[in-house]
Amino acid sequence: MTSKTKYIFVTGGVTSSLGKGIIAASLAKLLQAQGYRVTIQKLDPYINVDPGTLNPYEHGECYVTEDGAETDLDLGHYERFLNVPTSQANNVTTGRIYQSVIQKERQGKFLGKTVQVVPHITNEIKRRVQILGKSGDYDIVITEIGGTVGDIESLPYIEAVRQLRWDLGEDNGLVIHLTLVPYLSAAGELKTKPTQHSVKTLMESGVQADILVCRTEHKLPKDLRRKLALFCNVTVDSVIQSIDASTIYDVPNLMLKEGLDKIVLKKLALESSEPNIDIWNKFVHRHKNPKSEVRIGLIGKYVELQDSYKSILEAFIHAGAENEVKVNVESVHSEYLNDENAELMLGHLDAVLVAPGFGERGIEGKISAVKYVREQKIPFLGICLGMQMAVIEFARNVLDLKQANSTEMEPETAHPVINLMEEQKTIKDKGGTMRLGAWACQLVPDSKAAKIYQTDAIKERHRHRYEFNSDYKAQIEAGGMKATGFNPKTNLVEIVEVEDHPWFMGVQYHPEYKSTVANPHPLFVAFVKAAFKHKKTK
Ligand code: GLN
């Protein structure tokens, strides 16, 4: 088989959490900066059809693509690094693979045959891997295989990689194995044995790693690289050190220094040149050399988990760099917030963001946070559930509709200012059935939103079932909270602003999903600017 698109597979050994996603994204960045059209795909070996039904305790944030796929948070890193949108095809799970194979079986596509892991499941994996390559849009597809080599669940994926390496031919595919080289402080030594074993495990499945990327806390000396090369069947220049970095945004430059891009291109028989990463480096410089700082509260119920609000935290990094300000995000657990302690918990902050979320837990604390910042005129951004809480707070405390609530929390509420979207009313299934992906939004001229976006037509990504109840729109607007963004087809309210406030915005969509290094999100940029302004007036 001849193939124009080249395939890079990234596997992981020894332990999870080595940062395969960041390595894949960093390599992709370096290749993209040499003129190659690159995309990254993640294969996840769990049986959920997508991570949309998992809670953040299980899986961190669920990232949403333009075309409405609920995906692994690594896709967020891919977009933030590459500034190119991903899609349904960029995240594949075991659940989805089996779902399509079983569907085909029921349709009689394999009539008369026994349906098996090899070849039916592996064929489906191979087909999914090649969808992006066959689209003609990419020169290089990087496929990251979730999990750790040796896991029972990963076996069909590794087998598919083995077959694909063979099908694609010599220069058209390669395997990068990300592994750990631990430092034993008692021995005062870096140890290669775990890597030797994981490379061997990979070989038991017939896959030879072409390049080793070694996560390490200490520099890898030359002799250790030689030893790894000798035991693992790779050349010395294919042993790449990935030393712990203070920020993930340093990793592309670290990989450049190690020559990861060069060795990859050489093995794929592609030309290499000096990557142009000026815009990237300008961002990294600003990120690391802020002129000032602000404190922004993130009010949520998963604040103890680093990954739950990943895209929001990254959007703050982009917006901070743009403003040359360090954004110190202070997590505040909404379950412990109330009207009495709001001053104590939030009084010192320069701005407050109320996070997205589902269900009743912690919502009263979110409402108290909104009340406090609205009254104290502290800059506020509410995202999705955060916007809905802002509407409820306004109805309760400004319009005096004390029973105001969302029907998500209180189905029989007397004042359902937030209620289930019409099209959701007949839906019973939970998987993939929310309002998902990018939708058009028309901005009211001269609104704060229109000024920030500098246009009156935007497209933003969504993930929700409930909406602003238009029956209350006239009353809410008369009270001073204006609807300034609408879905042009359904008239659904997407943005609210409080008039008599320096910076108070609630958005039904998720701006954080679209913030990238090259394009920091305008709403986050303006919000950080407002925080800085507020700090100066204090
Ligand atoms: N639970 C709310 C809804 O479904 C908000 C969802 C969210 O914050 N992503 O509408």
Side-chain angles (χ1 to χ4, degrees):
M1 183 173 116
T2 55
S3 148
K4 267 207 237 119
T5 305
K6 311 267 180 168
Y7 292 85
I8 300 171
F9 302 97
V10 181
T11 59
V14 183
T15 168
S16 58
S17 302
L18 290 181
K20 282 194 296 261
I22 300 297
I23 292 295
S26 300
L27 171 62
K29 184 78 227 165
L30 295 176
L31 300 176
Q32 183 194 51
Q34 293 174 50
Y36 292 106
R37 297 169 306 156
V38 192
T39 190
I40 317 176
Q41 176 190 48
K42 172 98 190 257
L43 305 182
D44 273 314
Y46 50 71
I47 296 171
N48 302 66
V49 171
D50 61 47
T53 52
L54 292 168
N55 82 25
Y57 288 105
E58 294 277 325
H59 198 257
E61 168 188 275
C62 173
Y63 185 79
V64 179
T65 61
E66 283 294 285
D67 66 350
E70 295 178 282
T71 72
D72 186 79
L73 59 79
D74 272 339
L75 272 79
H77 291 307
Y78 306 161
E79 290 202 13
R80 288 187 282 272
F81 276 50
L82 297 182
N83 199 35
V84 175
T86 53
S87 69
Q88 298 276 357
N90 292 73
N91 195 189
V92 176
T93 68
T94 296
R96 201 175 287 285
I97 298 282
Y98 273 81
Q99 191 186 42
S100 42
V101 171
I102 291 170
Q103 211 163 26
K104 283 179 194 158
E105 187 274 338
R106 291 289 83 183
Q107 290 163 351
K109 298 256 165 74
F110 311 116
L111 225 46
K113 293 278 177 224
T114 309
V115 180
Q116 295 178 297
V117 173
V118 184
H120 301 95
I121 295 297
T122 46
N123 280 349
E124 183 62 20
I125 295 172
K126 286 161 70 179
R127 188 182 74 78
R128 298 258 178 180
V129 167
Q130 292 175 101
I131 286 177
L132 290 162
K134 287 184 176 160
S135 70
D137 295 336
Y138 304 104
D139 305 311
I140 301 169
V141 176
I142 302 179
T143 299
E144 175 193 345
I145 297 168
T148 308
V149 165
D151 292 350
I152 293 175
E153 282 135 346
S154 315
L155 281 174
Y157 292 99
I158 302 294
E159 168 60 15
V161 171
R162 184 192 70 76
Q163 294 179 22
L164 270 170
R165 283 287 274 122
W166 187 252
D167 297 346
L168 292 165
E170 191 63 356
D171 300 334
N172 296 322
L174 67 83
V175 175
I176 297 177
H177 188 57
L178 181 59
T179 158
L180 178 71
V181 178
Y183 180 78
L184 289 194
S185 44
E189 269 180 51
L190 286 162
K191 290 293 178 190
T192 64
K193 199 70 81 186
T195 298
Q196 294 181 39
H197 281 301
S198 83
V199 169
K200 217 185 238 170
T201 307
L202 200 52
M203 283 180 83
E204 277 168 18
S205 301
V207 175
Q208 165 68 50
D210 298 286
I211 295 171
L212 301 179
V213 174
C214 308
R215 264 304 286 274
T216 172
E217 289 172 33
H218 299 273
K219 281 188 167 172
L220 296 187
K222 199 89 206 167
D223 58 337
L224 187 136
R225 294 183 192 232
R226 272 192 221 106
K227 185 173 173 186
L228 277 170
L230 179 70
F231 279 101
C232 301
N233 275 342
V234 297
T235 52
V236 183
D237 58 355
S238 299
V239 180
I240 303 289
Q241 153 190 300
S242 170
I243 200 151
D244 292 356
S246 61
T247 155
I248 55 169
Y249 296 106
D250 273 342
V251 180
N253 276 303
L254 291 173
M255 291 303 108
L256 178 64
K257 237 191 239 156
E258 284 286 306
L260 176 62
D261 56 321
K262 300 275 170 319
I263 187 79
V264 161
L265 290 170
K266 191 170 121 190
K267 286 188 189 291
L268 293 176
L270 292 172
E271 276 174 31
S272 67
S273 56
E274 209 39 54
N276 178 353
I277 47 172
D278 294 350
I279 294 174
W280 183 274
N281 286 339
K282 196 170 153 207
F283 155 78
V284 174
H285 180 78
R286 280 170 165 241
H287 171 46
K288 290 180 149 185
N289 299 283
K291 297 199 172 119
S292 189
E293 49 188 325
V294 292
R295 288 198 280 198
I296 299 186
L298 171 62
I299 322 293
K301 61 173 174 179
Y302 301 112
V303 291
E304 66 278 31
L305 305 167
Q306 264 293 308
D307 283 351
S308 319
Y309 302 114
K310 197 74 190 165
S311 294
I312 291 176
L313 297 177
E314 299 302 322
F316 273 134
I317 290 177
H318 308 152
E322 188 69 14
N323 281 289
E324 300 190 280
V325 168
K326 179 171 197 295
V327 179
N328 297 304
V329 178
E330 282 188 22
S331 299
V332 181
H333 205 302
S334 53
E335 273 185 291
Y336 308 134
L337 250 180
N338 53 49
D339 287 352
E340 280 66 51
N341 67 15
E343 165 78 35
L344 185 74
M345 308 263 279
L346 311 174
H348 61 291
L349 297 168
D350 304 316
V352 162
L353 186 149
V354 174
F358 295 84
E360 209 178 354
R361 187 166 68 90
I363 64 140
E364 291 302 327
K366 287 184 171 174
I367 293 171
S368 294
V370 180
K371 178 171 190 285
Y372 180 76
V373 298
R374 184 180 52 76
E375 290 176 349
Q376 300 304 315
K377 307 226 182 296
I378 296 171
F380 166 80
L381 176 59
I383 297 182
C384 206
L385 185 72
M387 174 266 202
Q388 297 175 354
M389 294 304 113
V391 173
I392 294 170
E393 189 280 324
F394 197 83
R396 285 187 191 174
N397 299 322
V398 178
L399 307 181
D400 211 28
L401 304 174
K402 293 289 178 224
Q403 311 291 310
N405 212 333
S406 162
T407 53
E408 178 179 4
M409 323 304 167
E410 203 186 331
E412 303 305 328
T413 176
H415 291 296
V417 290
I418 303 295
N419 66 357
L420 196 61
M421 279 180 280
E422 205 45 49
E423 69 266 27
Q424 288 285 330
K425 292 186 176 157
T426 50
I427 294 173
K428 292 272 177 296
D429 284 356
K430 292 285 183 236
T433 55
M434 282 188 250
R435 179 179 184 233
L436 291 166
W439 294 81
C441 174
Q442 196 66 37
L443 305 179
V444 171
D446 284 332
S447 59
K448 183 174 256 92
K451 284 181 194 140
I452 290 170
Y453 280 97
Q454 291 180 19
T455 170
D456 58 4
I458 58 168
K459 252 175 110 185
E460 291 281 8
R461 301 184 197 172
H462 295 255
R463 182 171 187 249
H464 63 120
R465 293 184 207 282
Y466 295 82
E467 64 172 334
F468 181 108
N469 182 349
S470 294
D471 294 349
Y472 287 88
K473 185 165 159 279
Q475 207 179 342
I476 287 173
E477 289 208 311
M481 177 182 263
K482 299 283 188 230
T484 60
F486 299 89
N487 178 294
K489 287 213 182 90
T490 62
N491 244 1
L492 194 141
V493 173
E494 311 278 31
I495 307 176
V496 292
E497 297 177 20
V498 168
E499 275 186 319
D500 181 25
H501 192 287
W503 213 99
F504 187 108
M505 297 191 72
V507 293
Q508 184 57 78
Y509 51 83
H510 292 262
E512 69 275 22
Y513 292 146
K514 278 179 79 162
S515 188
T516 69
V517 165
N519 276 322
H521 197 286
L523 213 48
F524 275 87
V525 173
F527 182 50
V528 170
K529 195 185 226 145
F532 187 53
K533 198 167 155 200
H534 180 77
K535 180 186 169 177
K536 284 194 295 188
T537 59
K538 272 205 291 199

